[in-house]
Amino acid sequence: MSYYKVHSLEQYFKHYNKSLREPRKFWDRIADENFTWYQKWDKVVEFDMQEAEIKWFLNAKVNITKNCIDRHLAKRGDKTAILFEPNNPKEEAQHISYNELYDRVCKMANVLRSQGVEKGDRVCIYLPMIPELAVAVLACARIGAIHSVVFAGFSASAVASRVNDSECKMVITADGGFRGNKTIALKEIIDEALEKCPTVEKTLVVKRTNTNVNMKEGRDLWLQPLLDKADANNVAEIMDAEDPLFILYTSGSTGKPKGMLHTTAGYMVYSAYTFKNVFAYEEGDVYWCTADIGWITGHSYIVYGPLLNGATTVLFEGVPSYPDFGRFWEVVDKHKVTQFYTAPTAIRALAKENWEWVNKYDLSSLKVIGSVGEPINEEAWHWYNDHVGKKKSPIVDTWWQTETGGIMISPLPFITPTKPTYATLPLPGVQPVLMDDKRNEIEGNQVVGSLCIKFPWPGMARTIWGDHQRFKETYFSAYPGKYFTGDGALRDEVGYYRITGRVDDVVIVSGHNLGTAPIEDAINEHPAVAESAIVGFPHDVKGNALYGFIILKESGESRDRENLKKEINEHISSHIGPIAKLDKIQFVTGLPKTRSGKIMRRILRKIAEGDFSNFGDTTTLLNPEIVEEIKDNRI
Ligand code: PRX
């Protein structure tokens, strides 16, 4: 019996139980039957969840790009691998076949090698959503370089801190990028970032917008002339199962971003398996995920998962509102998209517009529609179900994280009955548990708690780049022996999971995971600011927005408040990126603190939400009077 694809609810339970009872056999079979290996493993898994040491498919040898590209060539060489839909609908779409992808990745891999990149080196990729982005990712994987894609909306200093943290040797960027009716000067941002990045030796630049850019002698090279000269064949590097594949930064609740490290074989097996099942992928489908490759969703479900399955994956450069609010649906209609995967924030933004934008187009090709990145509220779920899915294409509400590498809890389309706002059941191989405040596992149904996973799965991150101690403390210490997700969840009467949101200091704004600490650090650097506290509050399109409580220094007191607010937001934009801007700023004379000096964010969250009913236990507050003042002046 093959475990690669679940065909019925009964089979789901069979596979699930098998994965509980015999996880090694379960994953052994999947890995064995569905991939090309240079050498198989000696052992399926070895782990110590106390020490956060996890290894899968020990001593196996593999190259993920051989599995994404080479092995498909005989059967699917002419099939479209990447379907590129440009920002401007008047620019022609590109159908990049598996044969062509092979050529492009090999050439790029050869260019990287000729520019001194070797196995284990880190390469930062800062590109718009153009085919070169996917090609660069795959080319790194082909030669064993570790890619670190940084979302092209991050500011120069955010890029610099990521480049420096992983000591990247090279940056791959573009002259600029198109986003709706705007052009973003990416090379200029990189130039500024690289002033502070001593490890970067070379920058490769893709021409996209034809903007004038500075090319630094000895460092910067246009990519195309190098590709034109490169050989279209490349022997893939033989990678150990646990060799690093990529680093992807995600926000933490403290300090600097965490470079989550994913390794080769486990990630490959997990992204392929979850893609196949969650999207009910069949040969001939045209699959579209609207995320950016700068996030984990794009890594696993634009590039790796689909290509590992020999699928056609749409790569969209634009935004949902350009040239109008019908763009998503126009693209679905134009390319006869069968699976459509997006974020609740996009759904809510589009649901605000006239539904005629949807009805103008023929969406009958759609089979499955998905949601990811944050809890989807009931109203948005129904709008998506009624207007996009037409009540016939099931919604897969997929819960997972940068750290998990792939989808963990989700309905399987046509198999698991859906329930609005519920991610429903864990995928085979995933063992979720809910924990109470006393660190006990909560048994039974109709319960709420902190969501943990109690057994390793192949796709999980292995460490934080350069800081294993932080990895252990963040994910494996709160509930010893278990992986702690940072999310709260409830389990209903039939065992379905609903994710209720973060229980730490991470706020999800428009689907972007933002740590409040780095934003506070950025604000506190403003010369007029003494101290600040950032919390999230509900927002009808973004899901959450940010509310800043800010104490000014004496020198800042006399400043015009509106100008200051603007300056603070500009400051955040340049330190982190526009996605981290504050929606509301309230200047305060103090912050509610415990005697040990910790800010009581729980109270600030309630005030930001406009809920003054119950602040909980405030007896440990050092300065209870400040709560009244903040409440009275709430914006
Ligand atoms: O809080 C959960 C939320 O997004 C967090 C992970 O964010 P990130 O690492 O940026 O990855 C996003 C894409 C996988 C989670 O801890 N989240 C993600 N998916 C859902 C979700 N919350 C509720 N429902 C979901 N389907």
Side-chain angles (χ1 to χ4, degrees), residues 581-599:
K581 278 189 188 173
L582 309 181
D583 264 43
K584 292 186 182 179
I585 296 179
Q586 180 178 348
F587 294 107
V588 297
T589 59
L591 292 165
K593 287 191 179 167
T594 62
R595 279 164 220 283
S596 59
K598 208 168 174 266
I599 299 170

Side-chain angles (χ1 to χ4, degrees), residues 219-240:
R219 185 193 69 187
D220 302 346
L221 298 163
W222 288 108
L223 179 62
Q224 196 55 49
L226 298 174
L227 288 172
D228 291 342
K229 283 186 278 176
D231 188 352
N233 279 301
N234 172 283
V235 179
E237 190 75 34
I238 297 176
M239 304 294 286
D240 184 81

Side-chain angles (χ1 to χ4, degrees), residues 480-495:
K482 299 189 173 61
Y483 167 82
F484 173 47
T485 66
D487 282 327
L490 68 80
R491 190 162 57 220
D492 77 357
E493 61 288 353
V494 299

Side-chain angles (χ1 to χ4, degrees), residues 250 296-297 371-376 397-403 423 485 487 499 501-502 508 511 513:
T250 187
I296 190 70
T297 308
S371 165
V372 59
E374 56 181 309
I376 178 164
D397 177 357
T398 62
W399 174 83
W400 59 296
Q401 310 178 298
T402 305
E403 295 85 340
T485 66
D487 282 327
I499 312 303
R502 302 291 306 190
I508 302 194
N513 200 334

Side-chain angles (χ1 to χ4, degrees), residues 58 89 224-225 249 383 485 571:
L58 285 85
Q224 196 55 49
Y249 286 88
W383 186 88
T485 66
H571 199 73

